């Protein structure tokens, strides 16, 4: 299979070693499941100081990334991806003004064959670059970072683990929290008693059907108590009679404690 192609525009290319060198994404990169090419906007600067930023029109604090070096870097990234046979690589800009990242967005992006990530620094990027070149502006949450790099890595990590073969067991990604619209159930491993705390009896029973039902109930219950917003969505898409029964039972046992 052709690797999933990531082209990243960044002033700090070495930050991306975090995804290519470690863990599940590191292994996927080594196995050429995805590839990552960085483009430093400084290499596209038009002056000898390699400047890529300037002060904002209208005044105010800080600096703004200039459109020209970024647009030229995007052109290079696009022609590289087109050379790989990727006809329409989407350009993604990471910013707090973007659409909020969800598992659905991750899935959608993972279905393509390549993406170009624009990582901003300073106070942001000249709006004309965004209007001209960016297909999707994505936020990973309502907070401000020092730049788009860590957000891009969050997105790359989430996308890569959706690619078939990345997780050893082909079912693994489907077991992830959020796939069924619910939070994960609690996990336990040895020892059976940790500082006086017992592993829930049912997990020691060997009864797989019972364990499965208990885990689903924990997922439902935790979603109800911690993320009622997610449960509303799940409810709107329809819950089985079994799921409703398990949740009612969980609510009941939580009132009486
Ligand atoms: C910094 C700043 C300083 C003084 C006054 C206003 C300011 N705005 C910013 C700012 O928003 N900087 C951003 C840094 C510019 C775009 C790249 N940066 C960024 C991306 N920070 N946080 C993100 C981000 C990306 C995706 N999801 C959440 C946050």
């Amino acid at each position: 299979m052709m690797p999933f192609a990531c082209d990243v525009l960044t002033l700090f290319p070495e930050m991306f070693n975090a995804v290519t060198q470690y863990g599940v994404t590191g292994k996927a990169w080594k196995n050429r499941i995805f590839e990552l090419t960085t483009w430093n906007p400084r290499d596209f600067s038009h002056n000898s100081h390699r400047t890529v930023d300037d002060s904002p029109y209208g005044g105010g604090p800080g600096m703004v990334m200039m459109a020209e070096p970024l647009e030229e870097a995007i052109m290079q990234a696009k022609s590289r991806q087109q050379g790989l046979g990727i006809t329409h690589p989407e350009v993604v800009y990471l910013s707090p003004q973007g659409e909020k990242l969800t598992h659905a967005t991750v899935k959608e992006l993972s279905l393509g064959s390549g993406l170009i990530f624009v990582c901003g620094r300073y106070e942001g990027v000249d709006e004309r670059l965004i209007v001209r070149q960016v297909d999707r502006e994505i936020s990973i949450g309502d907070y401000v970072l020092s730049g788009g790099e860590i957000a891009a890595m969050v997105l790359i990590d989430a996308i890569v683990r959706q690619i078939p073969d990345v997780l050893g067991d082909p079912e693994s990604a489907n077991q992830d929290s959020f796939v069924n619209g619910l939070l994960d159930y609690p996990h336990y491993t040895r020892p059976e008693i940790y500082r006086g705390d017992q592993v829930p009896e049912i997990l020691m029973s060997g009864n797989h059907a019972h364990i499965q039902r208990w885990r689903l109930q924990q997922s439902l219950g935790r979603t109800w108590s911690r993320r009622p917003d997610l449960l509303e969505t799940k409810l709107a898409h329809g819950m089985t009679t079994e799921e409703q029964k398990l949740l009612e039972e969980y609510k009941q046992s939580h009132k009486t404690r």
Side-chain angles (χ1 to χ4, degrees), residues 136-157:
R136 289 185 87 152
E137 193 165 343
I138 294 179
S139 164
I140 62 161
D142 292 338
Y143 38 76
V144 180
L145 304 169
S146 313
E149 283 82 2
I150 293 177
M153 287 191 268
V154 165
L155 191 42
I156 291 167
D157 185 298

Side-chain angles (χ1 to χ4, degrees), residues 67-93:
E68 178 105 272
L70 289 173
E71 185 147 356
E72 287 179 16
I74 290 171
M75 290 309 131
Q76 294 283 306
K78 276 191 173 165
S79 36
R80 193 193 78 86
Q81 291 217 0
Q82 278 156 1
L84 300 170
I86 302 162
T87 45
H88 295 290
E90 281 205 294
V91 178
V92 176
Y93 176 54

